[in-house]
Amino acid sequence: MAGLTSWRSTRVPFLTKPKPSPLHHRPNNFSMNPNPGAGNRFPVTSIKAQQAEASTVNKEDELKAKEWEVRMLQEEVAASQGIRIRRRPPTGPPVHYVGPFEFRIQNEGNTPRNILEEIVWNKDVEVSQMKQRKPLSSLKKSLDNAPPTRDFVGALREANHRTGFPGLIAEVKKASPSRGILREDFDPVEIAKAYEKGGAACLSVLTDEKYFKGSFENLEAIRNAGVKCPLLCKEFVVDAWQIFYARVKGADAILLIAAVLPDLDIKYMTKICKMLGLTALVEVHDEREMDRVLAIEGVELIGINNRNLETFEVDISNTKKLLEGERGQLICQKDIIVVGESGLFTPDDIAYVQEAGVKAVLVGESIVKQSDPGKGISGLFGKDISFGNHFGVGPKVVFETWSIQPKLEQCAQDNAAAHGTSIPFLTFIDLLGFECGVSSRNHIKVLEI
Ligand SMILES: O=P(O)(O)OC[C@@H](O)[C@@H](O)c1c[nH]c2ccccc12
């Protein structure tokens, strides 16, 4: 852990007199002659042309140096918050002003220190390429026609009340760097449907291709297949652009990893999520990350990952450890829902994290590996938790409608006939794609729940 905190910490004293910080290491004068000693061999015009060219080169260098300085500053801020993951390889400043010492660091800085750092570096490159193909402006246009998002936290709470167990976020996961391929015959839509039928409250869909064999196509296909559970886009977010992209592809929630993102990014990204109607699941793994996240206003869903993404070690007592004492109390006060993530295989594991205080769990491996992943859910909980799911008798809702009342009533009767039960109006409204609350467009007003 120590020694990974900042650029500075990787430096070995090279000179006996104190060295300035790398941020202040850039020489003041950038007008180095790129071709030293050649100056007076050229006629006057060529010298002018050469000077103009040199000044453009210098400007570019200066810009690169500025970018590098900003990046280094960002890394230092992140390191001061205990973030060990470097967002990009610290390849160092433009070569012409680095000394031999920095040049050595430049090579060291090109090797990721662990798998999470490797994934993040890879993601950074991937996202910058995707952004070029689909700039934010075009994503924003697609959002004009996007259907409303579904209430991720509401679905977890509802499932928790309905079953008495933590609400299940079932993960559509083909592979992982630590466990390899989990399921060969992988049909994401079939798995998603089986999970929904088996009682999952929400689904998590991995979208990283390189390390998890997931994709945004999977997310989109599941959304378009009529699955009603809210969907979590399981991504390594390093840029706010990805949040817009996830929304366009049908996500209702997105993962933000505190081991990767500094506080300011989490604040800014949770605001973007709110603006887009998405829920942010902010993931932590240790006490320091938990404390950072608890200090951020507006976080309503926190995931405790029992897997250390740097070493792959899994320990479900991590959930308990992070919920003990004042942290647990603060979480209750703030009415934050906590999700126990990873390494949950048996009814005992579920009982253990529930006892620790979680209201939801995120499970992949143990259920995706079963021949019927829906039945895998009953095995995991030791009980069928699908009862009352989606078409069960829900809360009584008093509402007022105007123009669409006949259509809604017909829909209520049809559904009741089809499922042999009365359908909660909230479910209708959700099924019909209307928003709860006052909606002038659809003329629905929920008066009482
Ligand atoms: O397959 P498991 O051990 O049940 O874990 C699921 C989920 O928690 C895990 O996939 C996960 C949790 N946080 C992540 C962040 C990135 C990638 C994957 C994850």
Side-chain angles (χ1 to χ4, degrees), residues 3 6-7 9-12 86 88-92 100-113 117 121:
S6 82
W7 251 82
S9 63
T10 62
R11 305 176 75 200
V12 181
R86 298 164 300 174
R88 295 188 187 97
T91 44
F101 172 61
E102 277 80 5
F103 194 73
R104 192 168 65 81
I105 287 181
Q106 198 173 335
N107 293 334
E108 282 176 8
N110 282 330
T111 313
R113 291 166 180 154
E117 195 164 80
W121 289 5

Side-chain angles (χ1 to χ4, degrees), residues 36-185:
N40 48 13
R41 280 195 279 121
F42 291 97
V44 175
T45 46
S46 298
I47 289 172
K48 274 197 175 154
Q50 198 192 5
Q51 279 172 344
E53 198 183 303
S55 113
T56 321
V57 171
N58 288 340
K59 284 229 167 65
E60 272 173 26
D61 281 347
E62 203 153 351
L63 208 64
K64 270 191 204 149
K66 279 254 149 16
E67 269 174 25
W68 182 78
E69 283 183 6
V70 170
R71 268 173 48 191
M72 287 303 103
L73 194 59
Q74 285 169 340
E75 297 288 2
E76 288 208 3
V77 169
S80 75
Q81 292 167 12
I83 296 175
R84 297 178 294 276
I85 299 301
R86 298 164 300 174
R87 201 74 84 80
R88 295 188 187 97
T91 44
V95 173
H96 72 266
Y97 75 86
V98 295
F101 172 61
E102 277 80 5
F103 194 73
R104 192 168 65 81
I105 287 181
Q106 198 173 335
N107 293 334
E108 282 176 8
N110 282 330
T111 313
R113 291 166 180 154
N114 54 55
I115 183 71
L116 180 58
E117 195 164 80
E118 184 186 325
I119 295 174
V120 165
W121 289 5
N122 185 69
K123 194 55 71 182
D124 188 57
V125 175
E126 204 178 82
V127 171
S128 57
Q129 288 163 357
M130 284 169 85
K131 268 167 95 169
Q132 278 178 358
R133 285 200 299 273
K134 257 194 170 298
L136 194 59
S137 52
S138 84
L139 288 185
K140 282 185 175 161
K141 267 191 212 125
S142 317
L143 281 180
D144 291 343
N145 307 317
T149 50
R150 289 149 203 244
D151 182 359
F152 198 86
V153 172
L156 292 176
R157 284 188 198 275
E158 189 276 326
N160 180 230
H161 288 146
R162 180 172 53 81
T163 65
F165 287 111
L168 172 66
I169 308 171
E171 189 151 279
V172 180
K173 182 179 192 180
K174 175 163 184 171
S176 75
S178 60
R179 315 291 284 171
I181 300 278
L182 296 170
R183 190 182 178 103
E184 287 291 352
D185 63 330

Side-chain angles (χ1 to χ4, degrees), residues 201-252:
C202 300
L203 307 181
S204 161
V205 184
L206 276 150
T207 48
D208 176 79
E209 289 188 24
K210 186 161 179 198
Y211 299 91
F212 289 85
K213 306 224 175 297
S215 71
F216 277 97
E217 284 75 45
N218 290 356
L219 179 71
E220 211 169 19
I222 292 170
R223 171 50 78 234
N224 293 339
V227 169
K228 291 173 211 81
C229 288
L231 305 181
L232 169 74
C233 171
K234 196 63 152 341
E235 233 328 322
F236 293 85
V237 173
V238 291
D239 188 310
W241 177 90
Q242 293 165 277
I243 304 177
F244 286 84
Y245 192 62
R247 171 74 174 97
V248 169
K249 294 290 177 184
D252 304 290

Side-chain angles (χ1 to χ4, degrees), residues 25 83 109 122 131 222 271 289 403 435:
H25 198 233
I83 296 175
N122 185 69
K131 268 167 95 169
I222 292 170
K271 281 200 180 128
E289 288 170 10
S403 64
E435 286 169 13

Side-chain angles (χ1 to χ4, degrees), residues 171 173 182 206 212 234-236 255 257 283 305 307 309 314 340-345 362-366:
E171 189 151 279
K173 182 179 192 180
L182 296 170
L206 276 150
F212 289 85
K234 196 63 152 341
E235 233 328 322
F236 293 85
L255 185 75
I257 304 178
E283 180 176 295
N305 199 351
R307 181 176 289 114
L309 290 174
V314 181
E341 299 180 357
S342 309
L344 302 171
F345 287 86
L362 172 53
V363 184
E365 180 175 347
S366 67

